[in-house]
Amino acid sequence: MGLDRPELRRVPGLRFWRLLGTGRGRTMTPSADLRRWAMFAVWDDDAALDAFLASSSVALRWTALAEERYVVRLRPLRWHGAWGGRDPLAGAGPGDGADGPMAILTRATVRPWRAGAFYRAIAGPQAALHAQPGLLAAVAIGEWPVLRQATFSIWSGLGDATAYAYGSRAHRDVVRRTREQRWYGEELFARFQPYGSVGTWEGRDPLHA
């Protein structure tokens, strides 16, 4: 992955991107799964993404190496915060919040002196997440081990995601502590509407299971 960065910087229409490692299993832990990785990317339009997937040497190499591959296209609905000091979705027109499946990305840069408290606190919310009705898929991802962490999840609808965010006491407590104790140096929350997918995630397409 690291060796592909120079080529990605030259891809036409690729406005913002991050190569991301993943945690083992389905929870956010300091561990790493060295066989599973992800890319979050913002494109000028679908045509730019189509061209990348069809002809980029990077994309073709990833496909050849992959045992499993999943691509999901996302339309931003609502977001706030920053990633690397800027808004990665700046200029995107927010969607209309239509009914149907939702994808949610939450990412943060954890302050080094708060990392211990952060990881001790998230076990409860992570367990609650994977027991939540309406969760279709979730994965812990990160730019850097331990300190730059994120969760990407797909839900059957906004109501299910909201029920977890506001109905889970464990999750509410962690959100409160992050603000009171200033665990994060930077954070981003984004909600998306999936509108296309190709491939499988753990043997299935969560949007068409």
Side-chain angles (χ1 to χ4, degrees):
M1 284 177 59
L3 297 178
D4 291 326
R5 286 185 170 88
E7 284 190 66
L8 288 171
R9 294 188 184 103
R10 298 190 295 269
V11 172
L14 181 54
R15 294 165 48 185
F16 178 92
W17 54 271
R18 289 292 188 271
L19 296 176
L20 305 160
T22 71
R24 293 177 185 169
R26 302 176 69 195
T27 61
M28 186 181 294
T29 69
S31 65
D33 184 343
L34 300 181
R35 296 183 63 244
R36 183 174 63 170
W37 51 271
M39 175 176 165
F40 176 78
V42 181
W43 300 87
D44 284 344
D45 49 35
D46 280 303
L49 173 55
D50 290 337
F52 172 75
L53 294 175
S55 60
S56 166
S57 60
V58 173
L60 295 175
R61 183 164 58 250
W62 290 350
T63 299
L65 291 171
E67 180 178 292
E68 184 178 56
R69 174 173 171 267
Y70 187 65
V71 177
V72 59
R73 300 182 187 227
L74 306 168
R75 182 175 294 110
L77 296 176
R78 180 183 177 187
W79 68 94
H80 59 82
W83 196 335
R86 66 188 180 106
D87 178 356
L89 299 171
D96 59 9
D99 294 335
M102 294 283 163
I104 294 180
L105 173 70
T106 59
R107 60 83 49 187
T109 300
V110 182
R111 299 182 192 276
W113 55 91
R114 297 298 189 189
F118 171 78
Y119 281 102
R120 287 192 296 270
I122 63 174
Q126 290 286 301
L129 170 66
H130 293 287
Q132 185 69 33
L135 178 69
L136 302 179
V139 63
I141 53 180
E143 284 177 85
W144 288 2
V146 181
L147 296 180
R148 291 189 181 179
Q149 297 296 304
T151 299
F152 178 75
S153 54
I154 300 177
W155 299 81
S156 59
L158 178 59
D160 294 311
T162 302
Y164 167 71
Y166 298 104
S168 165
R169 180 176 179 179
H171 184 265
R172 292 199 315 270
D173 286 347
V174 167
V175 171
R176 174 183 55 79
R177 291 181 63 191
T178 62
R179 294 169 180 166
E180 292 178 353
Q181 301 175 21
R182 301 184 66 231
W183 286 355
Y184 303 152
E186 181 184 68
E187 60 183 311
L188 173 76
F189 170 87
R191 188 169 79 223
F192 303 90
Q193 179 184 31
Y195 67 92
S197 60
V198 175
T200 60
W201 180 346
E202 296 182 346
R204 64 189 181 93
D205 182 344
L207 292 171
H208 302 284

